[in-house]
Amino acid sequence: MTDWVEKQRNILDFTLSSLRRRKGRHLGMLAVYAAIVFLLASVMLFSHAIKREAAIVLADAPEIVVQRMVAGRHDLIPGAYADRLTGIRGVAAVTPRLWGYYYDAALAANYTILVPTDQAVPAGSVVIGGGVARARGAGVGDTLSFRGYGGEQFFFTVAEVLPHASELVAADLFLIAETEYRAMLGIDDGAYTDIAVSVRNPREVVTVANKIIAALPDTRVILREEILRTYDALFDWREGLMLVLLTGAVLAFAIFAGDKASGLSAEERREIGLLKAVGWETTDVIAMKVWEGAAVSLAAFLAGYLLAYLHVFHFSGALFEPVLKGWAVLYPEFRPAAFVDVFQVLTLFFFTVFPYTVATIVPIWRAAIIDPDAIMRS
Amino acid sequence: MRNSTIALALATLGLTAVAATLLDATLRRHAEASDLRDRADLVRRYGLTDLCLFTEARYTRHLSQTDLHAPFQDHPVSLDHFPSGSLVGPPPGWRDHD
């Protein structure tokens, strides 16, 4: 056993010297390889962390949201619908809600304007999210003015800025009193944006949802489970733009790596010939190439993964910000909660290290079984 | 020192660093647990339904509440022109209709 280990260490010594002799070629390869692993690992870590956080944070989202649909679009729902919902067996509570969007033309930013149901914001006051405060340069006690639907100005004194740590759910929130919401947006009394429904027995949610649709056919019902599933699918690396970008990058790398790993240069062939001529066995030559593949791919995995971890959890995924921000003026400043899936890391390790290592074996085996004299003469 | 000794030491160091990221993640989660609870409280208090990730369009701000055809509703052959629309995959279940 000790002999075998010593032999492998000698082969590894020789392999590393050989790599060092062609360091320009191998460092270039390593940089591209590590960059691909970094990109894949960053997407993987970021999307997993957001999904887990969404599952925890949105676990107490409304159990059922009832929207009224008119000509295929979400429309205001009459308060009378709430009374009909209250009469459905299994329904525990019905809460008509007022919320919507406000486009701030001065900043070209969209706010989510909402009337809290559990606490009254005093008339003339507003509670704002961190993103709104940043965009408007506003703090507690400042006065903000907004144009209503009829052109008149509304003035609000900032009563509270929601904590910075809440930006992932509340960066663009703008909480005001019901009277001002209706006056500013021109919503009649008795009309609401949607209705939140809670159910007595959680196992009866689907049954209650079906009863709601039967009782109010012009409504659409959104279950909490659907909300959670939406965020479970969000940023799925198998979806959308990520797929296009990553597939292109990975395919380009696969061709590059396959070419580098499987094609032997004349110099390498001569080296193999010399090694065999001085007494190396075919298995030793293969072991040398396996060590080379393992060294390059392991270094790429370690560098790529560790940089990706720092990028996502210590630098808030800064490279993703322009992509996530899109054309939005308001963007939440947040650092994903550090949820790391060990299984995902192991999968990344496996698919990073093994294919490259194996890809190096086939051509070297072909070269290693040829007569050394023929290799050196070719 | 032998090349193999340096390489094995670096590999061990690197793998230890990978393991350390898992420990770091656990410690950070514990340290930030109250922030996570605060966010969950805010969701419960205000009845929020979505994460505030994309504020550029209403159908990207509230992904779970949006109309099924929201990105394409402004006029016939209206394609989704907000960048975040291309980042987000369709909700699960929609493709079951195919």
Side-chain angles (χ1 to χ4, degrees):
Chain A
M1 185 64 189
T2 317
D3 288 348
W4 184 85
V5 171
E6 193 54 35
K7 182 180 175 183
Q8 294 304 315
R9 284 195 66 181
N10 287 333
I11 293 173
L12 181 58
D13 281 335
F14 181 83
T15 308
L16 293 168
S17 306
S18 171
L19 282 174
R20 198 179 284 170
R21 278 200 298 280
R22 290 184 289 269
K23 63 176 165 235
R25 178 189 163 180
H26 287 110
L27 281 178
M29 170 77 190
L30 186 62
V32 176
Y33 203 162
I36 293 285
V37 176
F38 167 78
L39 187 65
L40 280 170
S42 293
V43 171
M44 189 187 82
L45 291 172
F46 188 84
S47 54
H48 178 73
I50 290 283
K51 281 180 196 178
R52 285 293 304 273
E53 173 142 9
I56 293 169
V57 167
L58 297 176
D60 286 322
E63 217 163 6
I64 298 176
V65 174
V66 182
Q67 293 179 345
R68 184 175 179 232
M69 305 298 287
V70 173
R73 291 182 186 223
H74 178 195
D75 205 58
L76 294 176
I77 191 162
Y81 278 38
D83 300 333
R84 293 180 64 185
L85 289 170
T86 311
I88 292 176
R89 187 189 292 267
V91 169
V94 173
T95 313
R97 309 191 314 157
L98 284 170
W99 65 275
Y101 304 98
Y102 180 84
Y103 179 69
D104 185 352
L107 295 171
N110 284 309
Y111 306 151
T112 295
I113 187 164
L114 184 140
V115 177
T117 49
D118 74 325
Q119 66 171 77
V121 178
S125 295
V126 64
V127 175
I128 54 176
V132 180
R134 203 165 41 247
R136 294 286 295 221
V140 174
D142 289 346
T143 301
L144 302 174
S145 73
F146 294 96
R147 254 166 74 95
Y149 83 106
E152 68 275 41
Q153 291 290 326
F154 288 81
F155 296 92
F156 300 97
T157 304
V158 178
E160 184 189 346
V161 177
L162 294 171
H164 179 73
S166 71
E167 287 204 19
L168 186 57
V169 290
D172 68 338
L173 286 193
F174 191 89
L175 311 176
I176 56 175
E178 179 174 346
T179 47
E180 281 167 326
Y181 177 91
R182 292 188 184 282
M184 192 169 147
L185 302 181
I187 309 282
D188 293 334
D189 286 349
Y192 295 88
T193 309
D194 55 27
I195 298 173
V197 176
S198 61
V199 177
R200 280 201 188 88
N201 182 354
R203 282 181 296 184
E204 285 183 357
V205 170
V206 176
T207 313
V208 171
N210 288 333
K211 285 181 186 171
I212 292 172
I213 294 167
L216 303 167
D218 60 341
T219 58
R220 174 184 171 215
V221 167
I222 301 165
L223 307 183
R224 185 197 286 156
E225 189 195 327
E226 289 170 332
I227 294 173
L228 295 174
R229 273 197 293 154
T230 298
Y231 283 89
D232 198 39
L234 187 75
F235 299 138
D236 198 324
W237 65 273
R238 290 163 297 182
E239 306 282 0
L241 195 64
M242 290 292 182
L243 175 70
V244 177
L245 290 177
L246 289 179
T247 307
V250 170
L251 276 179
F253 177 71
I255 293 166
F256 176 70
D259 186 51
K260 289 273 181 197
S262 59
L264 288 177
S265 65
E267 193 190 348
E268 283 173 309
R269 290 175 74 88
R270 212 179 68 236
E271 186 181 39
I272 291 165
L274 280 170
L275 290 173
K276 291 201 73 178
V278 298
W280 282 47
E281 299 286 333
T282 301
T283 51
D284 299 337
V285 176
I286 291 172
M288 179 189 84
K289 206 66 183 173
V290 168
W291 278 117
E292 183 186 308
V296 170
S297 54
L298 184 64
F301 168 77
L302 292 173
Y305 171 77
L306 291 172
L307 287 173
Y309 183 85
L310 291 174
H311 169 229
V312 172
F313 296 120
H314 288 264
F315 296 97
S316 308
L319 294 179
F320 292 147
E321 190 179 313
V323 183
L324 293 173
K325 203 169 178 179
W327 296 344
V329 173
L330 283 184
Y331 180 71
E333 282 182 357
F334 71 97
R335 202 169 52 188
F339 290 104
V340 178
D341 184 353
V342 178
F343 180 71
Q344 274 191 338
V345 177
L346 289 175
T347 307
L348 184 72
F349 173 79
F350 183 83
F351 283 105
T352 308
V353 174
F354 284 88
Y356 183 80
T357 307
V358 171
T360 58
I361 294 174
V362 178
I364 208 77
W365 179 75
R366 270 199 220 117
I369 55 171
I370 303 173
D371 179 43
D373 184 52
I375 294 176
M376 283 188 283
R377 283 175 194 279
S378 65
Chain B
M1 194 183 284
R2 289 173 67 173
N3 283 336
S4 57
T5 309
I6 298 169
L8 291 172
L10 285 174
T12 309
L13 190 70
L15 291 170
T16 309
V18 171
T21 62
L22 302 177
L23 181 67
D24 178 60
T26 309
L27 294 175
R28 289 171 72 95
R29 276 205 311 277
H30 282 296
E32 293 169 2
S34 65
D35 288 344
L36 197 63
R37 270 198 304 276
D38 289 347
R39 286 195 282 277
D41 282 346
L42 214 62
V43 166
R44 187 169 39 246
R45 264 173 67 195
Y46 298 136
L48 305 178
T49 51
D50 289 81
L51 299 184
C52 177
L53 286 168
F54 315 110
T55 61
E56 57 188 355
R58 65 184 186 281
Y59 60 86
T60 57
R61 171 62 180 91
H62 290 95
L63 292 163
S64 70
Q65 304 296 301
T66 190
D67 294 346
L68 300 180
H69 60 288
F72 315 103
Q73 68 183 352
D74 289 335
H75 57 79
V77 205
S78 162
L79 297 174
D80 176 14
H81 58 273
F82 285 104
S84 48
S86 53
L87 278 180
V88 179
W94 282 22
R95 280 158 301 174
D96 296 347
H97 300 298
D98 292 345

